[in-house]
Amino acid sequence: MPFELAPLPYASNALEPHIDAKTMEIHHGKHHAAYTSNLNAAIQGTAMENESIETILSKISTASAAVRNNGGGFYNHNLFWNCMAPGKGGQPSGKLAQAIQAAFGSFDTFKEEFSNAAKTRFGSGWAWLIVHDGKLVVCSSPNQDNPLMDDAPVKGTPILGLDVWEHAYYLNYQNRRPDYVSAFWNVINWDFVAEQYEKALN
Ligand code: MN3
C-alpha cells in the first residue's frame, strides 16, 4: 500500500477541552483511515501508484472523483493534525509573524479573515493559509479540495488548514461552528506552521 495512515502526533485527548478525544479518535481512526485506504484502492494499478501525494494533487483534474476526494482527504488531514498540538496557540514569531503583518496588516486582522473563511465556507470544506508567489493568502475550499490541486480557484502551498466538515466538530460543538473555529486558535502549533512557511518559500 503506497500511502499509510500516520499515528496522531499526540494523544487523542491532548487537545481537550478545545477538541475532544472522541472526535479525534473517530476523525483520525475512521475518517482519515478511510480516505487513506480508499485512496490506495483508487490508485491501485495506475501510474499514480508510485507518485507522491503532492504530484497526484498537482494533476488532479485528470484523476477520478475517488482520487480527488480521498487524495485530498489523505493530504489535508496529515497537515491538519500537525497544525495542532497541546499547550500551543498564541501567535507566531519571526519571519512568519512579519509575513502575516505584511500581508494582513496585523495578526488580529489575519485571525479575523481566516476565521471568516472557516465560518462562511458553505457545507463541508477547509479554510487555508497558503503561500502564493511568496505571499500569504487566506482562502477556503469545498469538500476535500485544496490549493495544491491544479484546478483550484486559488492556488498555493497550504501552511495552515482548518477542517470545517461537521465530523470535525459536531460531537462537541453541534451546530456551533463559530465556537469550534474560535477554539482552534488555542491549539495552533505555530512552530510547525512556520516550518511549512520556510519550506514553501524554497
Ligand atoms: Mn475531516
Side-chain angles (χ1 to χ4, degrees), residues 27 35 77 126 144 163 165 167:
H27 199 176
Y35 294 125
H77 291 86
W126 291 75
Q144 295 295 354
D163 189 342
W165 282 57
H167 68 226

Side-chain angles (χ1 to χ4, degrees), residues 177-195:
R177 187 194 287 188
D179 291 354
Y180 161 72
V181 172
S182 296
F184 178 63
W185 296 94
N186 297 315
V187 294
I188 296 177
N189 182 354
W190 287 111
D191 296 332
F192 174 79
V193 180
E195 279 170 34

Side-chain angles (χ1 to χ4, degrees), residues 49-86:
E49 213 167 18
N50 298 309
E51 292 173 340
S52 71
I53 189 61
E54 288 83 1
T55 299
I56 291 173
L57 297 176
S58 74
K59 52 182 181 181
I60 206 71
S61 62
T62 67
S64 66
V67 174
R68 167 183 289 270
N69 294 333
N70 295 293
F74 173 75
Y75 174 92
N76 294 347
H77 291 86
N78 282 342
L79 182 75
F80 183 50
W81 309 135
N82 284 290
C83 283
M84 303 184 287

